[in-house]
Amino acid sequence: MRAVRLTHEFVHYVPEQLEPGVLYVSLPFTTVVHLCCCGCGNKVVTPLSPTDWSLTFDGASISLSPSIGNWSYPCRSHYWIRGNTAQWAERWTPRQIEAARTGTGQSGQGHSEPRRRSLAARFRQRVRRWLRQ
Ligand SMILES: [Zn+2]
């Protein structure tokens, strides 16, 4: 699949009618909303927080991190938004998803261990739910 060019719009409230290919960035509500880049029309909400997504705005374009995995939608699309472009990523296996969540990036922080474990547990639960679908 080819990369999809996007535009961004800074808004206070996210409009009810979303245009495809537009990233609606609401700083007052610390959230970004867009229609799934595969074209399926599903609304993708990415809250901005230290444990959710982070937004980078370089003055011209928007990037979101980490990648966006629409596992709960039928399209199951997975892409990165970098520089107002949706770049398609591989579909991850549940094992890969879990490895990413519990990977080396967060290890070595002893004090955050309990929280890390509960996040991993929550993720395992979510993966099980996806697998049942
Ligand atoms: Zn989609």
Side-chain angles (χ1 to χ4, degrees):
M1 276 171 115
R2 283 215 312 224
V4 177
R5 290 294 301 165
L6 305 165
T7 56
H8 65 270
E9 223 175 273
F10 286 101
V11 295
H12 189 98
Y13 297 106
V14 174
E16 252 173 66
Q17 279 290 358
L18 303 179
E19 294 281 328
V22 181
L23 300 163
Y24 295 92
V25 183
S26 171
L27 294 181
F29 293 97
T30 56
T31 195
V32 179
V33 180
H34 69 281
L35 294 179
C36 178
C37 293
C38 85
C40 68
N42 278 306
K43 188 163 135 184
V44 181
V45 180
T46 46
L48 303 173
S49 87
T51 52
D52 294 300
W53 279 268
S54 60
L55 170 84
T56 310
F57 177 52
D58 64 3
S61 64
I62 299 274
S63 302
L64 284 174
S65 176
S67 62
I68 294 168
N70 295 322
W71 320 112
S72 54
Y73 291 144
C75 67
R76 302 215 164 190
S77 58
H78 179 208
Y79 47 87
W80 293 87
I81 291 179
R82 286 180 183 141
N84 279 17
T85 305
Q87 297 169 351
W88 299 97
E90 283 175 35
R91 289 180 184 192
W92 285 3
T93 64
R95 222 183 78 207
Q96 280 176 306
I97 295 165
E98 185 163 296
R101 290 282 153 158
T102 57
T104 47
Q106 285 170 37
S107 66
Q109 297 173 350
H111 58 276
S112 66
E113 190 68 17
R115 181 179 164 72
R116 196 159 64 88
R117 196 170 296 143
S118 79
L119 269 179
R122 269 198 347 235
F123 215 78
R124 263 195 296 276
Q125 206 176 29
R126 223 185 298 171
V127 167
R128 268 199 293 271
R129 224 179 304 148
W130 294 332
L131 288 175
R132 273 203 300 272
Q133 281 177 359

